[in-house]
Amino acid sequence: MSMEIGFLLLLLVSMLAAVGHICFKKAAVANISFARKFVHPFFLAGVFFFICCPVISSLAAQVIDFSIMYAMTALNFVFVLLLSRIILEESIDWPKITGVCIIVIGLLVMITA
């Protein structure tokens, strides 16, 4: 497997983790009892996405240094911010945008070094 495929797999992992977090949020705010939240379809979908993440990460680990792999999990913040705006209609302010820009710059520095 090429490093490019490894990086694409890590992007997929970050996206799946972000979708999983959004699913957990949707289950958490559902108007049902606390116990029923754990069998809510959104909660179960979130669990599924989180189970997929280490499986896919293990494939990427074959060609990507672990220090880079772990740093790339910071992309979860980027995807959660975007998805929370699109799906949950949460606001995005300048501190959030600044933080995401710092994360992306830091990752670019690490990956291109």
Side-chain angles (χ1 to χ4, degrees), residues 69-90:
M69 272 184 60
Y70 191 72
M72 285 195 62
T73 62
L75 285 176
N76 296 3
F77 291 105
V78 177
F79 294 127
V80 166
L81 180 70
L82 294 172
L83 290 176
S84 65
R85 174 68 184 128
I86 295 166
I87 296 171
L88 303 174
E89 300 178 355
E90 293 182 356

